[in-house]
Amino acid sequence: MKCVIIDDEPLAVRLLESFVEKTPGLELLASFTDSVQGAQAIKEGQADLVFLDIQMPDLNGMELARIVPPQTRIIFTTAFKEYAFESYEVKALDFLLKPIRYSKFLAAIDKAREWFGHTSVSSGAKPDGASTIFIRVDGELRQLALSKILYVSGMKDYVMFYMADEKRPLITHMTMKAVEEMLPPELFMRISRSYVVAMQHIRKVDRNDCVYIGEEIIHITDAYLPAFQAWLDSRMNR
């Protein structure tokens, strides 16, 4: 995986450079202590991973995270834990608190390998792509199997993950847009402003454009109906 480091603290940059150098499967493309220069570099889209500080002059890490290419993933590196919730609204794979230990760094790389579909020695991830995601619930990271997610509903700045193996929804601080970016589009589809559903768990679709999934009946709104109908047509018997 090709990496870029952006941190305005030279000592933090050198530490991350040493971690990358001794970790198999990582290639350091460049390091920057200037966030604006770093932003220009990652816009080219050559990096798989960006190790990104948050509190920086000119362009802070959260602002920069929102302009990275869609195929690039972020691992935040910061001394301020209060940014943890906000980090999961962008493309963050992990959130490393300074001072960063190498063991924590390796755990973050394992998540990255799983995300990008590489073989992970310590987690046993399969090379055919990630089958799980992580969300933060009650201050802890929970690993969710994609196959167990029934649907996700949004309420302002929070979303609720309804799971096949959980009695109650898992609530996390996230936007619906971030949910769409996190979930693979071949398995999940947004059918209204407030709902993303797992296509494999739809039991039926009625004549009023409502889907039946779990114990819920969800109406497909007009803006999302054409895309859903196209998906449905491709799977109907003729």
Side-chain angles (χ1 to χ4, degrees):
M1 292 178 289
K2 296 180 179 179
C3 311
V4 168
I5 298 169
I6 305 175
D7 194 315
D8 64 333
E9 300 176 5
L11 287 176
V13 169
R14 287 199 286 273
L15 177 66
L16 287 170
E17 286 175 340
S18 70
F19 286 173
V20 171
E21 184 177 355
K22 65 182 178 180
T23 304
L26 297 184
E27 176 189 350
L28 183 61
L29 296 179
S31 299
F32 300 91
T33 54
D34 185 301
S35 60
V36 176
Q37 292 179 359
Q40 293 298 322
I42 63 174
K43 277 184 179 180
E44 297 175 3
Q46 296 180 353
D48 298 310
L49 283 178
V50 178
F51 296 98
L52 182 60
D53 189 17
I54 293 179
Q55 285 204 340
M56 296 184 290
D58 298 324
L59 187 66
N60 69 45
M62 287 299 174
E63 294 169 331
L64 199 156
R66 299 181 193 281
I67 62 173
V68 301
Q71 72 273 17
T72 301
R73 293 291 146 181
I74 293 166
I75 296 175
F76 280 115
T77 59
T78 180
F80 301 94
K81 63 182 179 181
E82 59 266 28
Y83 289 108
F85 280 122
E86 190 178 354
S87 72
Y88 289 94
E89 293 183 2
V90 292
K91 302 178 179 69
L93 282 177
D94 210 340
F95 185 91
L96 300 179
L97 269 178
K98 297 176 179 177
I100 300 168
R101 300 197 305 272
Y102 185 53
S103 60
K104 296 290 187 181
F105 177 89
L106 285 178
I109 296 305
D110 249 6
K111 292 180 187 178
R113 289 195 180 107
E114 185 173 357
W115 180 273
F116 288 110
H118 294 291
T119 302
S120 172
V121 174
S122 62
S123 70
K126 297 180 180 179
D128 58 353
S131 61
T132 64
I133 59 170
F134 283 86
I135 65 169
R136 190 171 291 275
V137 180
D138 295 330
E140 298 178 342
L141 284 174
R142 290 282 302 272
Q143 185 171 207
L144 310 184
L146 295 177
S147 62
K148 298 292 186 180
I149 299 172
L150 300 176
Y151 61 92
V152 185
S153 67
M155 182 177 60
K156 293 187 177 179
D157 294 329
Y158 289 85
V159 298
M160 293 173 284
F161 282 77
Y162 288 81
M163 309 294 296
D165 55 353
E166 298 275 352
K167 292 182 178 180
R168 296 181 179 180
L170 304 176
I171 303 174
T172 187
H173 188 272
M174 186 183 293
T175 64
M176 289 300 288
K177 181 180 179 182
V179 170
E180 281 191 285
E181 292 178 348
M182 174 182 283
L183 297 176
E186 66 272 16
L187 300 178
F188 296 86
M189 182 177 292
R190 191 167 183 176
I191 61 171
S192 73
R193 289 187 63 185
S194 301
Y195 285 92
V196 170
V197 301
M199 314 306 280
Q200 65 174 331
H201 289 296
I202 294 175
R203 291 187 284 111
K204 68 176 181 178
V205 183
D206 69 20
R207 66 184 65 186
N208 297 313
D209 299 323
C210 292
V211 300
Y212 291 66
I213 187 166
E215 301 298 321
E216 190 76 4
I217 302 173
I218 307 169
H219 182 251
I220 309 164
T221 57
D222 291 345
Y224 298 91
L225 188 57
F228 182 86
Q229 189 62 56
W231 174 84
L232 194 62
D233 288 344
S234 69
R235 285 158 178 79
M236 288 176 61
N237 292 328
R238 298 297 181 184

